[in-house]
Amino acid sequence: MTKYIYGIDIGGTTVKMGLFDEKGDMLEKWEIVTRKENNGENILPDIVKSIKEKNTEKSIETDDILGIGMGVPGPITEDGRVLKCANLGWGIFSVADEMSKLTGVEKVKVGNDANVAALGEQWRGGGRGFDNIVMVTLGTGVGGGIIMDGKILTGENGAAGEIGHITVNPKETLTCGCGCKGCLEQYSSATGVIRMAKERLEASDKPSELRKFSADEIGGKEVFDAYKAGDELAAEAVNEFAIYLGMGLGNVASVVDTQAFVIGGGLSKNGPVVIDIVKEQYKKNVMFALKNTEFRLAELGNDAGMYGAVRMVLQ
Protein backbone atom coordinates (compact mmCIF):
# COMPACT_ATOMS: atom_id res chain seq x y z
CA MET A 1 0.00 0.00 0.00
CA THR A 2 1.29 3.46 -0.92
CA LYS A 3 2.50 5.67 1.91
CA TYR A 4 2.42 9.45 1.70
CA ILE A 5 4.33 12.45 3.03
CA TYR A 6 3.24 16.07 3.18
CA GLY A 7 5.91 18.67 2.44
CA ILE A 8 4.99 22.17 3.65
CA ASP A 9 6.79 25.48 3.21
CA ILE A 10 5.30 28.33 5.23
CA GLY A 11 5.90 31.76 3.72
CA GLY A 12 4.78 35.20 4.76
CA THR A 13 2.16 35.38 1.98
CA THR A 14 1.33 31.78 1.07
CA VAL A 15 1.87 28.27 2.41
CA LYS A 16 3.20 25.94 -0.29
CA MET A 17 1.95 22.40 0.20
CA GLY A 18 2.91 19.20 -1.60
CA LEU A 19 1.78 15.59 -1.48
CA PHE A 20 4.63 13.14 -2.04
CA ASP A 21 4.96 9.38 -2.20
CA GLU A 22 7.31 7.38 0.03
CA LYS A 23 10.12 7.62 -2.56
CA GLY A 24 10.02 11.41 -2.35
CA ASP A 25 8.38 12.02 -5.69
CA MET A 26 5.90 14.92 -5.80
CA LEU A 27 2.38 13.84 -6.71
CA GLU A 28 0.80 17.29 -6.63
CA LYS A 29 1.20 20.72 -5.07
CA TRP A 30 -1.00 23.66 -4.13
CA GLU A 31 -0.99 26.82 -2.03
CA ILE A 32 -3.13 28.36 0.68
CA VAL A 33 -3.06 31.91 2.03
CA THR A 34 -0.95 32.57 5.12
CA ARG A 35 -3.36 34.25 7.53
CA LYS A 36 -1.11 36.15 9.93
CA GLU A 37 -3.73 38.08 11.90
CA ASN A 38 -4.01 37.48 15.67
CA ASN A 39 -0.37 36.42 15.94
CA GLY A 40 -0.77 33.78 13.27
CA GLU A 41 -3.21 31.68 15.26
CA ASN A 42 -4.93 30.44 12.07
CA ILE A 43 -1.84 29.26 10.22
CA LEU A 44 -1.50 25.73 11.60
CA PRO A 45 -5.28 25.07 11.71
CA ASP A 46 -5.53 26.19 8.06
CA ILE A 47 -2.72 23.82 7.09
CA VAL A 48 -4.35 20.95 8.96
CA LYS A 49 -7.69 21.68 7.29
CA SER A 50 -6.03 21.57 3.86
CA ILE A 51 -4.29 18.28 4.69
CA LYS A 52 -7.56 16.72 5.83
CA GLU A 53 -9.32 17.90 2.67
CA LYS A 54 -6.57 16.30 0.57
CA ASN A 55 -6.82 13.11 2.60
CA THR A 56 -10.55 12.95 1.89
CA GLU A 57 -10.04 13.71 -1.81
CA LYS A 58 -7.40 10.98 -2.20
CA SER A 59 -8.92 8.49 0.29
CA ILE A 60 -5.79 8.69 2.45
CA GLU A 61 -6.05 7.41 6.01
CA THR A 62 -3.94 8.84 8.82
CA ASP A 63 -2.06 5.53 9.03
CA ASP A 64 -1.09 5.95 5.36
CA ILE A 65 0.91 9.10 6.17
CA LEU A 66 4.61 8.47 6.91
CA GLY A 67 5.06 11.98 8.21
CA ILE A 68 4.76 15.72 7.73
CA GLY A 69 7.77 17.95 7.04
CA MET A 70 7.63 21.72 7.46
CA GLY A 71 9.81 24.74 6.72
CA VAL A 72 9.18 27.82 8.86
CA PRO A 73 10.63 31.36 8.38
CA GLY A 74 12.38 31.65 11.72
CA PRO A 75 14.85 29.95 14.07
CA ILE A 76 13.81 26.34 14.80
CA THR A 77 15.47 23.98 17.25
CA GLU A 78 16.19 20.38 16.28
CA ASP A 79 13.16 19.16 18.24
CA GLY A 80 10.80 21.41 16.26
CA ARG A 81 10.35 24.39 18.57
CA VAL A 82 10.06 27.84 17.03
CA LEU A 83 12.00 30.53 18.92
CA LYS A 84 9.77 33.43 17.94
CA CYS A 85 8.90 34.10 14.33
CA ALA A 86 8.29 37.80 13.71
CA ASN A 87 7.10 37.26 10.12
CA LEU A 88 4.21 35.10 11.30
CA GLY A 89 3.56 36.63 14.71
CA TRP A 90 4.50 33.41 16.53
CA GLY A 91 6.09 33.24 19.95
CA ILE A 92 7.93 30.25 21.41
CA PHE A 93 6.16 26.90 21.04
CA SER A 94 6.61 23.42 19.57
CA VAL A 95 5.30 23.43 16.01
CA ALA A 96 6.08 19.72 15.74
CA ASP A 97 4.04 18.78 18.82
CA GLU A 98 1.11 21.00 17.84
CA MET A 99 0.93 19.60 14.30
CA SER A 100 1.15 16.05 15.57
CA LYS A 101 -1.69 16.72 17.99
CA LEU A 102 -3.89 18.36 15.33
CA THR A 103 -3.34 15.74 12.62
CA GLY A 104 -2.78 12.51 14.52
CA VAL A 105 0.44 12.01 12.52
CA GLU A 106 3.22 10.97 14.88
CA LYS A 107 6.25 11.97 12.80
CA VAL A 108 6.42 15.73 12.22
CA LYS A 109 9.75 17.33 11.32
CA VAL A 110 10.22 21.11 11.34
CA GLY A 111 13.15 23.27 10.23
CA ASN A 112 14.08 26.81 9.29
CA ASP A 113 12.81 27.49 5.77
CA ALA A 114 16.21 28.40 4.30
CA ASN A 115 17.83 25.32 5.81
CA VAL A 116 15.00 23.11 4.58
CA ALA A 117 15.30 24.55 1.06
CA ALA A 118 19.04 23.84 1.19
CA LEU A 119 18.30 20.22 2.07
CA GLY A 120 15.89 20.01 -0.86
CA GLU A 121 18.52 21.32 -3.28
CA GLN A 122 21.14 18.92 -1.89
CA TRP A 123 18.77 16.00 -2.32
CA ARG A 124 16.99 16.67 -5.61
CA GLY A 125 18.35 19.96 -7.01
CA GLY A 126 21.57 21.78 -7.82
CA GLY A 127 23.42 20.07 -4.97
CA ARG A 128 22.79 16.52 -6.15
CA GLY A 129 25.85 14.32 -5.73
CA PHE A 130 27.28 16.33 -2.83
CA ASP A 131 26.98 15.44 0.87
CA ASN A 132 28.10 18.91 1.96
CA ILE A 133 26.70 22.10 0.46
CA VAL A 134 25.98 25.68 1.41
CA MET A 135 22.81 27.07 -0.15
CA VAL A 136 22.93 30.81 -0.81
CA THR A 137 19.64 32.57 -1.53
CA LEU A 138 20.03 35.96 -3.21
CA GLY A 139 16.66 37.65 -2.91
CA THR A 140 15.39 40.66 -0.96
CA GLY A 141 18.03 39.64 1.58
CA VAL A 142 20.75 36.99 1.58
CA GLY A 143 19.65 33.68 3.08
CA GLY A 144 21.62 30.54 3.64
CA GLY A 145 21.48 26.93 4.71
CA ILE A 146 24.31 24.55 5.55
CA ILE A 147 24.10 20.83 4.84
CA MET A 148 26.77 18.62 6.40
CA ASP A 149 26.87 14.87 5.72
CA GLY A 150 23.44 15.18 4.11
CA LYS A 151 21.81 16.76 7.16
CA ILE A 152 20.86 20.29 8.18
CA LEU A 153 23.32 22.08 10.42
CA THR A 154 20.89 23.71 12.85
CA GLY A 155 23.08 25.29 15.53
CA GLU A 156 22.30 25.85 19.20
CA ASN A 157 19.55 28.42 18.56
CA GLY A 158 18.38 27.23 15.15
CA ALA A 159 20.17 30.16 13.51
CA ALA A 160 23.07 28.40 11.74
CA GLY A 161 23.41 29.40 8.11
CA GLU A 162 22.41 33.06 8.53
CA ILE A 163 25.20 34.03 6.16
CA GLY A 164 23.47 37.26 5.15
CA HIS A 165 24.55 38.76 8.46
CA ILE A 166 28.27 38.12 8.22
CA THR A 167 29.99 41.50 8.58
CA VAL A 168 31.87 42.35 5.39
CA ASN A 169 32.24 46.12 5.78
CA PRO A 170 32.83 47.45 9.31
CA LYS A 171 32.91 51.03 7.95
CA GLU A 172 29.26 50.94 6.77
CA THR A 173 27.06 53.65 8.31
CA LEU A 174 23.66 52.31 7.20
CA THR A 175 21.93 49.83 9.49
CA CYS A 176 20.86 46.40 8.28
CA GLY A 177 17.43 45.00 9.13
CA CYS A 178 19.09 42.82 11.77
CA GLY A 179 20.29 45.91 13.67
CA CYS A 180 23.97 45.60 12.71
CA LYS A 181 25.95 47.50 10.08
CA GLY A 182 27.96 46.24 7.11
CA CYS A 183 26.16 42.91 6.70
CA LEU A 184 26.62 40.88 3.52
CA GLU A 185 22.97 41.28 2.55
CA GLN A 186 23.35 45.06 2.45
CA TYR A 187 25.43 44.58 -0.73
CA SER A 188 24.84 41.15 -2.22
CA SER A 189 21.05 40.95 -2.19
CA ALA A 190 18.71 42.28 -4.86
CA THR A 191 18.01 45.17 -2.49
CA GLY A 192 21.74 45.79 -2.16
CA VAL A 193 22.67 45.78 -5.84
CA ILE A 194 19.68 48.03 -6.64
CA ARG A 195 20.75 50.47 -3.90
CA MET A 196 24.33 50.56 -5.16
CA ALA A 197 23.20 51.19 -8.73
CA LYS A 198 20.86 54.01 -7.67
CA GLU A 199 23.60 55.63 -5.57
CA ARG A 200 25.84 55.71 -8.63
CA LEU A 201 23.08 57.14 -10.82
CA GLU A 202 22.56 59.97 -8.34
CA ALA A 203 26.25 60.64 -7.73
CA SER A 204 27.31 61.07 -11.37
CA ASP A 205 26.15 62.01 -14.86
CA LYS A 206 27.71 58.89 -16.35
CA PRO A 207 25.56 57.54 -19.20
CA SER A 208 23.73 54.34 -18.38
CA GLU A 209 20.96 52.14 -19.73
CA LEU A 210 19.43 52.39 -16.26
CA ARG A 211 18.60 56.08 -16.77
CA LYS A 212 15.70 55.15 -19.05
CA PHE A 213 13.91 53.73 -16.01
CA SER A 214 12.31 55.60 -13.13
CA ALA A 215 13.81 54.86 -9.72
CA ASP A 216 10.88 52.57 -8.87
CA GLU A 217 11.33 50.58 -12.08
CA ILE A 218 14.93 49.55 -11.39
CA GLY A 219 15.11 46.00 -10.07
CA GLY A 220 17.84 43.40 -9.86
CA LYS A 221 17.01 42.14 -13.36
CA GLU A 222 17.39 45.62 -14.87
CA VAL A 223 20.78 46.09 -13.21
CA PHE A 224 22.07 42.72 -14.40
CA ASP A 225 20.63 43.16 -17.90
CA ALA A 226 22.49 46.46 -18.17
CA TYR A 227 25.65 44.78 -16.86
CA LYS A 228 25.40 42.02 -19.49
CA ALA A 229 24.99 44.70 -22.16
CA GLY A 230 28.30 46.28 -21.16
CA ASP A 231 26.88 49.18 -19.13
CA GLU A 232 29.80 50.70 -17.17
CA LEU A 233 27.74 52.09 -14.30
CA ALA A 234 25.81 48.85 -13.83
CA ALA A 235 29.12 46.97 -13.91
CA GLU A 236 30.38 49.04 -10.97
CA ALA A 237 27.36 48.03 -8.88
CA VAL A 238 27.49 44.37 -9.94
CA ASN A 239 31.23 44.16 -9.27
CA GLU A 240 30.74 45.53 -5.77
CA PHE A 241 27.95 42.98 -5.25
CA ALA A 242 30.35 40.22 -6.33
CA ILE A 243 33.31 41.46 -4.30
CA TYR A 244 31.34 41.36 -1.06
CA LEU A 245 29.68 38.04 -1.87
CA GLY A 246 33.04 36.47 -2.74
CA MET A 247 34.40 37.77 0.56
CA GLY A 248 31.44 36.47 2.57
CA LEU A 249 31.45 33.02 0.95
CA GLY A 250 35.20 32.83 1.41
CA ASN A 251 34.65 33.31 5.14
CA VAL A 252 31.99 30.60 5.14
CA ALA A 253 34.25 28.17 3.28
CA SER A 254 37.04 28.74 5.78
CA VAL A 255 34.73 27.53 8.53
CA VAL A 256 32.78 24.65 6.95
CA ASP A 257 34.98 23.64 3.94
CA THR A 258 31.93 22.79 1.86
CA GLN A 259 31.99 20.80 -1.39
CA ALA A 260 29.71 23.23 -3.21
CA PHE A 261 27.84 26.51 -3.02
CA VAL A 262 24.38 26.31 -4.57
CA ILE A 263 23.13 29.76 -5.59
CA GLY A 264 19.38 30.38 -5.64
CA GLY A 265 16.89 33.21 -5.14
CA GLY A 266 15.68 35.86 -7.57
CA LEU A 267 19.12 37.09 -8.63
CA SER A 268 20.19 33.56 -9.58
CA LYS A 269 17.72 33.78 -12.48
CA ASN A 270 20.27 35.98 -14.22
CA GLY A 271 22.04 32.70 -14.95
CA PRO A 272 25.67 31.55 -15.15
CA VAL A 273 26.97 35.13 -15.19
CA VAL A 274 26.19 35.30 -11.45
CA ILE A 275 28.20 32.13 -10.80
CA ASP A 276 31.11 33.38 -12.92
CA ILE A 277 31.57 36.76 -11.24
CA VAL A 278 31.09 35.44 -7.71
CA LYS A 279 33.46 32.50 -8.21
CA GLU A 280 36.14 34.86 -9.51
CA GLN A 281 35.92 37.00 -6.37
CA TYR A 282 35.62 33.96 -4.08
CA LYS A 283 38.95 32.60 -5.31
CA LYS A 284 40.64 35.85 -4.27
CA ASN A 285 39.48 35.34 -0.67
CA VAL A 286 40.33 31.72 0.16
CA MET A 287 43.41 29.65 0.85
CA PHE A 288 44.70 27.31 -1.84
CA ALA A 289 42.94 24.22 -0.44
CA LEU A 290 39.52 25.87 -0.87
CA LYS A 291 39.87 27.32 -4.38
CA ASN A 292 38.24 24.38 -6.19
CA THR A 293 34.93 24.54 -4.34
CA GLU A 294 32.10 23.96 -6.85
CA PHE A 295 29.49 26.62 -7.64
CA ARG A 296 26.09 25.54 -8.96
CA LEU A 297 22.78 27.22 -9.70
CA ALA A 298 19.76 26.04 -7.71
CA GLU A 299 17.24 24.03 -9.74
CA LEU A 300 14.08 23.55 -7.67
CA GLY A 301 12.90 27.15 -7.40
CA ASN A 302 9.92 27.55 -5.07
CA ASP A 303 9.61 23.78 -4.65
CA ALA A 304 12.93 23.42 -2.80
CA GLY A 305 11.35 23.89 0.63
CA MET A 306 8.74 21.21 0.04
CA TYR A 307 11.35 18.71 -1.14
CA GLY A 308 13.56 19.50 1.83
CA ALA A 309 10.65 19.09 4.23
CA VAL A 310 9.97 15.64 2.80
CA ARG A 311 13.65 14.72 3.02
CA MET A 312 13.62 15.48 6.76
CA VAL A 313 10.83 12.93 7.21
CA LEU A 314 12.67 10.28 5.19
CA GLN A 315 15.97 10.67 7.03
Side-chain angles (χ1 to χ4, degrees):
M1 181 174 290
T2 302
K3 296 288 186 179
Y4 300 92
I5 304 166
Y6 282 98
I8 298 165
D9 183 13
I10 303 177
T13 305
T14 63
V15 179
K16 299 172 186 67
M17 303 183 63
L19 178 65
F20 293 74
D21 64 22
E22 57 200 314
K23 294 180 292 184
D25 293 330
M26 183 186 286
L27 303 175
E28 61 180 277
K29 62 180 178 178
W30 66 99
E31 296 182 1
I32 62 173
V33 174
T34 306
R35 293 200 292 154
K36 294 182 288 187
E37 62 271 19
N38 299 321
N39 294 319
E41 66 179 14
N42 296 309
I43 296 172
L44 292 186
D46 285 351
I47 292 170
V48 172
K49 180 184 176 188
S50 189
I51 287 174
K52 290 182 175 178
E53 288 173 350
K54 189 59 63 177
N55 287 345
T56 300
E57 177 190 332
K58 299 292 185 182
S59 299
I60 298 171
E61 301 292 335
T62 302
D63 290 344
D64 297 331
I65 302 173
L66 278 179
I68 298 170
M70 302 178 69
V72 175
I76 303 286
T77 61
E78 286 202 33
D79 60 0
R81 285 186 308 122
V82 61
L83 301 178
K84 293 192 177 180
C85 185
N87 288 350
L88 303 180
W90 286 353
I92 301 173
F93 74 103
S94 175
V95 179
D97 287 351
E98 185 67 14
M99 279 296 291
S100 187
K101 183 174 73 176
L102 291 171
T103 61
V105 176
E106 184 175 340
K107 190 172 187 179
V108 178
K109 296 290 185 179
V110 186
N112 167 267
D113 58 349
N115 291 340
V116 173
L119 185 61
E121 286 288 347
Q122 182 266 333
W123 182 41
R124 291 287 184 100
R128 285 190 313 280
F130 299 112
D131 292 325
N132 305 305
I133 72 162
V134 175
M135 174 81 175
V136 185
T137 307
L138 306 176
T140 304
V142 175
I146 301 171
I147 306 300
M148 300 286 285
D149 297 324
K151 296 185 178 179
I152 292 171
L153 181 67
T154 304
E156 181 64 26
N157 300 297
E162 290 287 354
I163 63 174
H165 301 292
I166 293 172
T167 301
V168 290
N169 181 9
K171 295 182 180 180
E172 179 61 72
T173 57
L174 296 175
T175 303
C176 175
C178 76
C180 298
K181 295 178 181 178
C183 290
L184 177 61
E185 76 170 38
Q186 290 183 271
Y187 313 96
S188 299
S189 61
T191 309
V193 78
I194 293 165
R195 173 177 65 86
M196 293 186 294
K198 287 181 177 178
E199 286 174 351
R200 285 165 171 79
L201 287 169
E202 292 173 6
S204 78
D205 294 324
K206 185 178 291 186
S208 172
E209 283 289 304
L210 296 173
R211 295 194 185 279
K212 68 184 182 183
F213 300 105
S214 70
D216 292 341
E217 291 173 333
I218 297 175
K221 181 180 185 301
E222 285 69 31
V223 176
F224 270 87
D225 283 349
Y227 166 75
K228 292 176 195 176
D231 187 288
E232 186 179 338
L233 186 144
E236 291 176 7
V238 169
N239 287 335
E240 190 170 358
F241 153 92
I243 287 168
Y244 283 116
L245 189 53
M247 187 188 306
L249 297 187
N251 292 340
V252 172
S254 295
V255 177
V256 300
D257 189 8
T258 188
Q259 290 172 285
F261 287 102
V262 178
I263 311 294
L267 287 184
S268 73
K269 293 177 182 176
N270 290 290
V273 65
V274 177
I275 296 288
D276 293 342
I277 57 175
V278 173
K279 191 171 183 178
E280 179 185 353
Q281 295 299 329
Y282 166 84
K283 286 185 173 183
K284 295 178 181 178
N285 287 281
V286 291
M287 67 182 81
F288 181 79
L290 301 173
K291 288 187 185 293
N292 291 323
T293 303
E294 293 281 346
F295 280 73
R296 302 284 174 85
L297 286 172
E299 297 177 1
L300 298 177
N302 291 334
D303 293 346
M306 290 183 286
Y307 275 100
V310 168
R311 182 59 174 161
M312 287 193 298
V313 173
L314 290 172
Q315 286 180 326

